[in-house]
């Protein structure tokens, strides 16, 4: 994790701590085994990673990038509603196709033609080009595969089916949105009217539906794939000058989403380069014998092995691999490098204290200190991720499962593989061997006259003396002599309090502006052809939203007038919703009742009602598809309401809630359904799931903190930091145009672990300090832990920074929230918590904390 896993976290703890001491003994025993025989601990992780890495052969079968399956709630009500509609209203797209009655999105290709230069698509020149475009798409193969109604292909646009090759309609001759009982709201966009008559229209939409039932389904898919490959060149060949064309198919969203993972692959190499460079620079020493470049490289390798092993194991076990999992290696790399820094720092402390001790003793002390700290932070991280699997979103579940497992492997390999590398590197240093060539570079009398450059490169010291352990790190000196006194100055503290007030106010305001749900366009690449199509669709066709199916789910006595009145009352309640246009409802029952009022038929007895339905079907054939009728009853029926002005995620959420509430209030069993509701369902659970995961994870973090860091004041500040960082990230992500969706939900869970890492060590170092004043205790805590906090933050940011250059929303969102987490976590650890501790520093201190001897909290 990004916070400091402080190897110096060996403050004098209460003797009653029954958790820490067994762990220390366990780590000391492990260190003894690693020091005695390091090579098995090097080779076994390598062989294990190679074996588990074979699981990647299953990657093609394990990829589960179905958008609906991964980014919608597993138990969403709309999925059950769709199953009901499919059972009771089966489709037949070979004979009686109706786009409005589809229980799914269907198989289709879509074109939006927008008139250029502000003209109308109904003018002569644009209309002629629309006809040419339609003729190009409507080829012989489409004629064979098209969805059919009344013996011919379903028209891509109602105006084309009525006018054929004739010229455009005269201005004012069309009514909008309904013309001669035909709904034109989805056919024409950007319409200007006068008294309900069309004066001009900026855009026209063409929808080419294909059969997806029966043996033609695969052929339809191939036609759509060919459409995507060829449509750009075909449009170019037409040399259209009066219209601009954007396109989309039912395959587009899924195909573009699946291509996201491929776009991020080149970033992996850049991430490893940046991380290795940072690690090498951080571990660089002037002595070419005590240089830790190989340690840095092996630390990065250890993280890579953890990714290989964990991902391979999950693939062997059949865990679905979702595109969101591709974020995990970036995070694991930063965390693994952080663990490496802690181990190296603790090892160097042991060397400074016990240079002449055996390697077994040195490694035992290193493990007793650093491993405990790494264990605390790893445990909190793993808990956060595995708790994150308790979610309704499979994409979140997969990410947390893969990443939590990778953290376990990262921890194990740090304790074994990297520990063994420490031992081997120490033996090289003891033999006075060069870091690169491993050649012995003994200093002899015959080398005394060699140049400084020669001695520095080939001996290890320009002074011709054997290398010695280096002193205190300059960054620790900076925090002790400069930054600590600066931040504890009384006027600076006032400024920091005001800064925190501004931070908190901005965070809370941002939380009130959170936008929920994932915009489906964000699943595509920024340069994708679907983005212009979505833009045109939103701009010209957003006035009229989904045409919602209202289903009466049980058999009722339709021939009973009181029952019909209840149904009518329920329909009116639905029509009274602000998002519904009552003038555009299509109800077979209303038409049937009207026929009865005219005296044409009798509908007041069961026999007459059922037998006279044939009269209704002759008048309106499509109504036959809205009634599920058996020999002597109607098992289910449906009617349709038209929604309007559903232009944002807030509108989608409100529409779904209001429709379902109105349906539940009806005494007749009703369901409301549209294929888009499958995605709207996320609004019902996203906040609940996020709060649930955050609260449970935060509780688990506190339990771990109380067990392993038994100081009430420290745990209080850990709690404060968790809450403050989460509120900050949730608030400021709104300002950065990030919605609360399944992707950002992943990162909010990660927030918990990072908050603990940043806050626990600083606050614990403060409360266990032996200094006399609060300011001095804060300065000591910063001098010991300020650099590890900064180093850990930089290493984690380097692990994800390349994602800022990604061309897809998923990966950029991961970077944005991780950046906010690291920024605010480091800000709390280095600024806010030290300042606030100086105000409340005397609470919770015991006499044991005031002993004058130097506490065991050593410098890094």
């Amino acid at each position: 994790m990004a916070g400091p896993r402080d190897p110096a976290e060996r403050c004098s703890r209460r003797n009653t701590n029954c958790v820490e001491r067994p762990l220390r003994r366990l780590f000391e025993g492990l260190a003894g085994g690693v020091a005695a025989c390091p090579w098995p601990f090097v080779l076994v992780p390598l062989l294990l990673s190679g074996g588990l890495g074979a699981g990647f052969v299953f990657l093609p079968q394990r990829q589960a990038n179905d958008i609906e399956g991964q980014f919608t709630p597993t138990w969403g009500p709309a999925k059950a509603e769709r199953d009901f509609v499919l059972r009771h209203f089966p489709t037949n797209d070979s004979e009686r196709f109706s786009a409005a009655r589809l229980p799914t999105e269907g198989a289709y290709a879509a074109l939006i033609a927008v008139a250029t230069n502000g003209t109308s698509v109904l003018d002569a020149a644009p209309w002629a080009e629309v006809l040419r475009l339609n003729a190009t798409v409507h080829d012989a193969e489409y004629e064979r595969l098209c969805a059919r109604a009344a013996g011919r292909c379903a028209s891509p646009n109602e105006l084309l089916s009525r006018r054929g090759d004739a010229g455009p309609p005269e201005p004012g001759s069309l009514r909008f949105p309904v013309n001669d009982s035909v709904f034109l709201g989805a056919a024409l966009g950007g319409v200007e009217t006068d008294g309900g008559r069309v004066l001009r229209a900026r855009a026209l939409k063409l929808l080419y539906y294909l059969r997806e039932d029966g043996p033609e389904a695969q052929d339809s898919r191939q036609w759509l794939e060919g459409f995507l490959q060829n449509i750009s060149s075909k449009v170019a060949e037409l040399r259209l000058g009066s219209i601009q064309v954007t396109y989309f198919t039912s395959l587009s969203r899924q195909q573009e989403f699946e291509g996201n993972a491929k776009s991020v692959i080149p970033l992996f190499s850049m991430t490893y380069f940046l991380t290795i460079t940072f690690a090498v620079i951080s571990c660089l020493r002037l002595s070419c014998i005590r240089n830790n470049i190989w340690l840095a490289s092996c630390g990065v390798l250890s993280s890579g092995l953890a990714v290989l092993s964990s991902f391979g194991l999950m693939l062997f076990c059949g865990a679905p691999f979702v595109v969101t999992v591709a974020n995990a290696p970036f995070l694991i790399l930063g965390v693994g490098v952080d663990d490496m820094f802690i181990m190296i720092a603790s090892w160097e402390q042991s060397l400074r204290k016990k240079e002449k001790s055996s390697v077994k003793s040195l490694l035992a002390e290193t493990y007793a200190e650093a491993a405990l700290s790494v264990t605390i932070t790893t445990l909190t991280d793993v808990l956060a991720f595995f708790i994150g699997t308790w979610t309704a979103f499979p994409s979140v579940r997969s990410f947390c499962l893969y990443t939590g497992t990778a953290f376990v492997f990262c921890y194990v390999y740090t304790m074994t593989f990297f520990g063994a590398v420490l031992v081997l590197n120490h033996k090289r240093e003891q033999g006075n061997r060069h870091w690169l060539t491993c050649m012995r570079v003994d200093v002899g009398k015959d080398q005394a006259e060699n140049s400084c450059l020669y001695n520095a490169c080939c001996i290890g010291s320009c002074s011709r003396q054997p290398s010695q352990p280096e002193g205190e790190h300059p960054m620790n000196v900076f925090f002790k002599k400069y930054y600590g006194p600066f931040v504890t100055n009384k006027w600076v503290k006032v400024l920091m309090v005001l800064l925190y007030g501004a931070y908190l106010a901005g965070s809370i305001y941002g939380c009130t502006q959170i936008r929920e749900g994932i915009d489906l366009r964000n699943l595509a690449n920024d340069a994708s052809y679907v983005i212009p199509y979505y833009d045109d669709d939103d701009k010209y066709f957003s006035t009229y939203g989904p045409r919602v199916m209202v289903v009466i789910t049980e058999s009722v006595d339709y021939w009973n007038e009181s029952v019909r009145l209840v149904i009518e009352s329920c329909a009116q309640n639905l029509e009274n919703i602000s998002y519904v246009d009552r003038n555009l409802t299509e109800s077979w029952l209303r038409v049937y009742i009207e026929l009865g009022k005219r005296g044409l038929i009798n509908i007041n007895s069961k026999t007459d009602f059922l037998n006279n339905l044939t009269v209704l079907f002759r008048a309106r054939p499509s109504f036959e598809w809205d009634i599920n009728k058996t020999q002597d009853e109607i098992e289910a029926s449906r009617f349709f309401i038209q929604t309007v002005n559903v232009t944002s995620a807030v509108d989608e959420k409100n529409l779904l809630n209001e429709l379902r509430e109105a349906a539940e209030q009806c005494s007749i069993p009703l369901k409301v359904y549209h294929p888009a509701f499958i995605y709207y369902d996320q609004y019902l659970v996203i906040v609940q799931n996020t709060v649930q995961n955050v609260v449970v994870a935060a509780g688990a973090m506190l339990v771990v903190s109380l067990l392993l860091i038994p100081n009430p004041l420290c745990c209080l500040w850990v709690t404060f930091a968790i809450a403050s960082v989460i509120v900050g990230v949730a608030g400021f992500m709104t300002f950065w145009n990030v919605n609360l969706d399944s992707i950002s939900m992943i990162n909010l869970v990660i927030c918990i672990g990072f908050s603990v890492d940043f806050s626990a060590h600083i606050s614990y170092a403060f409360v266990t300090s032996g200094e006399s004043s609060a300011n001095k205790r804060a300065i000591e805590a910063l001098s010991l832990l300020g650099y590890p906090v900064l180093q850990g933050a930089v290493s984690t940011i380097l692990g994800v920074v390349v994602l800022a250059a990604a061309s897809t929303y998923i990966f950029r969102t991961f970077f944005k929230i991780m950046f906010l987490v690291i920024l605010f976590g480091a800000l709390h650890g280095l600024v806010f918590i030290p300042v606030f501790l100086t105000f409340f520093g005397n609470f919770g201190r015991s006499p044991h904390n005031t002993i004058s001897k130097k506490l065991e909290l050593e410098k890094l």
Side-chain angles (χ1 to χ4, degrees), residues 573-574 576-579 653-664 672:
N573 288 339
L574 289 167
N576 288 335
I577 294 173
S578 59
Y579 293 104
K653 176 184 177 180
N654 293 338
L655 168 67
L656 185 61
N657 286 332
E658 292 179 23
L659 285 176
R660 285 181 174 164
E661 288 175 4
E664 289 175 1
V672 289

Side-chain angles (χ1 to χ4, degrees), residues 158-169:
E158 294 294 341
L159 293 181
L160 295 185
S161 64
R162 294 190 167 230
R163 302 193 64 82
D165 294 332

Side-chain angles (χ1 to χ4, degrees), residues 500-552:
Y500 181 77
Y503 160 82
L504 193 61
S507 301
I508 294 173
Y509 174 76
C511 288
T512 64
Q513 306 298 312
I514 285 179
R515 298 177 296 275
E516 300 171 37
I518 188 167
D519 187 344
L520 292 180
R521 81 173 63 204
N522 290 332
L523 298 178
N525 190 287
D526 293 342
S528 172
Y529 62 88
V530 307
I531 303 300
Y533 176 87
Y534 277 128
D535 291 340
D536 284 346
D537 196 45
D538 288 345
K539 184 175 182 179
Y540 299 111
F541 295 94
S542 59
T543 300
Y544 295 95
R547 193 161 181 79
V548 177
M549 196 183 297
V550 183
V551 183
I552 301 174

Side-chain angles (χ1 to χ4, degrees), residues 32-42 420 427:
V34 173
C37 194
W39 280 110
F41 292 94
V42 172
K427 290 183 176 180

Side-chain angles (χ1 to χ4, degrees), residues 113-116 119-133 168 201-202 204 240-243:
V114 180
T116 58
T119 60
S120 172
V121 75
L122 300 179
D123 291 345
W127 182 264
E129 292 188 355
V130 167
L131 294 179
R132 290 169 54 203
L133 179 64
R202 293 280 290 118
L204 182 145
L240 304 175
S242 299
I243 59 173

